[in-house]
Amino acid sequence: MGTFEQATLPVLDEKTFAAVHRSLEDAFSAQRVDDFLHRVKRSGLRARDFESVLNKGLLGKETGALYAAMGNSDQGQIRERYLWLVEQVAPELRAKYLKVYAYY
């Protein structure tokens, strides 16, 4: 029996996808992730609440409109990438922003 591999979906709008992807990578870069999580906390949001973080403009002013213009499969891939990045944050920062990471 083979191992499960998630199907790779083709990106439909590469230019828009790349712009939104860059916004995510920028927010979670080593130099900016502390500031990003601080702004999430100040906004009273949870780190895993992608739609709210996006709608508050915390991923960049244009990112919400770009994301909205994307197709469903591209949006799904961006959401997955965002959630993956949220989980990759260093344990000491996750501890610092415990409230942002809490499930309640």
Side-chain angles (χ1 to χ4, degrees), residues 4-56:
F4 172 79
E5 279 188 42
Q6 186 170 354
T8 305
L9 298 171
V11 172
L12 302 177
D13 180 350
E14 290 187 21
K15 186 177 176 195
T16 303
F17 186 91
V20 175
H21 193 273
R22 269 192 310 276
S23 296
L24 299 185
E25 297 297 325
D26 189 47
F28 286 94
S29 70
Q31 309 89 308
R32 297 212 166 113
V33 67
D34 190 14
D35 180 56
F36 170 70
L37 291 173
H38 180 74
R39 289 184 294 130
V40 171
K41 180 182 176 184
R42 215 175 47 223
S43 297
L45 301 174
R46 301 279 175 253
R48 293 178 187 88
D49 187 356
F50 173 69
E51 303 286 336
S52 295
V53 167
L54 182 71
N55 293 335
K56 272 274 192 193

Side-chain angles (χ1 to χ4, degrees), residues 86-101:
V86 164
E87 297 306 320
Q88 301 309 306
V89 170
E92 57 274 11
L93 271 180
R94 290 176 67 146
K96 180 179 178 180
Y97 293 102
L98 193 59
K99 218 173 186 177
V100 166
Y101 273 88

